[in-house]
Amino acid sequence: MMQPSPATPVAPAPPDTFGPMLRAWRRRRGASQLALALQSGVSQRHVSFLESGRAKPSREMVVQLTTALDVPLRQRNTMLLAAGFAPVYRESGFGAPALAPVRQAIERMLQKHEPYPAVVIDRLWNLLQANEAAQALTVFLFEGLPPAPPPGKSPNLLRWLLDPKALRHKVANWEEVARYLVSTTYAEILADGGEPKALSFIEEIMAFPDVPASFRRLRFEERPPPVLTVDYVVGGKALSVFSTIVTLGTPQDITLQEVRIECFFPSDDRSDALFKSLAAKS
């Protein structure tokens, strides 16, 4: 049985909303009541009663059903509140002592990726940590130190890419890259339940000049190639990179579930040589 643990305060959900939330998540996952019943070990009749409000779930039942539906931890806390229970899942600061073992593991990953850049970002592209190669790449791309972020905000990789005052004009294939990143970020936010803070971030980045509303949706005929490169031209030097994104398995902390480790690689020998020269100078 799961034991309660301290968790970040979550705004109370309106009463009697657990049933509609459960139904919405089941449909979002494309599952029938029978499929959810089989996956969670709960009778289909009870699932129906929970969705209609004819039955009230226990705390363990909320956890059981949301686990079966792979509901993100942040939204599981909201559903616990809707059912009348305290949140279970923590949201620690990335620098919290409790996350020290994870930070050590991530630090080792970043170090081992040298001389190539690697960064740690959250679900909304806020920069949490970077290896030395990533710091050197940032200075190279901005031809100096990057601009300070707006008050109260962190450096943000997607803002840098979309902002005409940042890196937009240095990306040769900007429209292709921007459309893909905006559309996939938006799709992930919707798949995770459309949390208000995340939707507000989308509205913020869509407000940049020349970022059309169509960027929210990736049209079928404009699907990117299997490996999407970002082609920079900086001071007459060309740099072509692609990246992979790693997430942590079975996290029980909201922060850890939302952490992404993005590792960059050169797309050609010229870019490989440039990365190595930047590492030698740093």
Side-chain angles (χ1 to χ4, degrees):
M1 180 181 297
M2 179 173 293
Q3 298 298 316
S5 61
T8 296
V10 180
D16 302 322
T17 55
F18 175 79
M21 286 181 181
L22 178 61
R23 183 186 303 111
W25 274 105
R26 176 177 60 76
R27 291 175 175 173
R28 186 175 287 119
R29 296 301 189 233
S32 64
Q33 288 184 346
L34 176 59
L36 175 56
L38 293 172
Q39 180 69 21
S40 62
V42 179
S43 72
Q44 181 180 356
R45 184 170 182 266
H46 193 52
V47 170
S48 176
F49 279 18
L50 289 170
E51 289 189 356
S52 67
R54 294 176 65 185
K56 301 296 183 184
S58 66
R59 188 170 61 86
E60 289 72 18
M61 179 63 68
V62 175
V63 173
Q64 190 172 339
L65 290 169
T66 55
T67 300
L69 290 170
D70 193 28
V71 176
L73 302 185
R74 184 181 298 278
Q75 281 70 32
R76 291 188 202 183
N77 276 349
T78 300
M79 292 180 72
L80 282 160
L81 283 167
F85 303 105
V88 168
Y89 301 98
R90 296 175 182 268
E91 184 177 6
S92 307
F94 188 67
L99 302 189
V102 178
R103 287 198 307 277
Q104 291 172 3
I106 291 175
E107 178 66 29
R108 185 168 180 81
M109 293 175 66
L110 299 185
Q111 290 177 353
K112 291 299 181 180
H113 197 63
E114 301 279 2
Y116 305 123
V119 297
V120 182
I121 55 177
D122 67 14
R123 62 186 176 131
L124 301 181
W125 297 89
N126 293 307
L127 182 63
L128 303 176
Q129 190 175 349
N131 66 2
E132 291 185 2
Q135 295 175 41
L137 174 62
T138 301
V139 171
F140 168 75
L141 293 177
F142 279 98
E143 300 179 86
L145 295 177
K153 297 185 181 294
S154 302
N156 186 280
L157 272 61
L158 193 52
R159 286 195 196 100
W160 282 353
L161 183 73
L162 298 179
D163 189 346
K165 297 179 181 179
L167 298 179
R168 180 193 298 192
H169 65 285
K170 296 181 179 179
V171 181
N173 58 337
W174 179 82
E175 182 171 348
E176 177 188 25
V177 173
R179 180 184 295 277
Y180 175 75
L181 293 181
V182 170
S183 63
T184 54
T185 299
Y186 184 52
E188 182 177 349
I189 288 171
L190 293 182
D192 284 348
E195 192 259 335
K197 179 180 177 182
L199 290 175
S200 176
F201 171 72
I202 286 292
E203 295 303 323
E204 177 187 339
I205 62 173
M206 295 299 295
F208 280 118
D210 302 319
V211 179
S214 62
F215 274 21
R216 292 177 189 259
R217 307 288 185 184
L218 187 64
R219 293 192 289 267
F220 180 82
E221 66 274 14
E222 294 178 340
R223 287 184 302 172
V227 177
L228 178 66
T229 64
V230 183
D231 301 322
Y232 295 99
V233 178
V234 181
K237 295 181 179 179
L239 175 67
S240 182
V241 302
F242 66 93
S243 66
T244 60
I245 293 181
V246 177
T247 58
L248 302 175
T250 62
Q252 292 300 304
D253 185 291
I254 294 172
T255 297
L256 295 184
Q257 185 176 64
E258 296 177 351
V259 157
R260 282 95 171 98
I261 304 161
E262 185 167 15
C263 300
F264 296 86
F265 298 86
S267 296
D268 50 42
D269 291 340
R270 176 187 56 196
S271 300
D272 191 16
L274 181 55
F275 274 136
K276 290 175 180 176
S277 71
L278 292 175
K281 294 176 183 177
S282 61

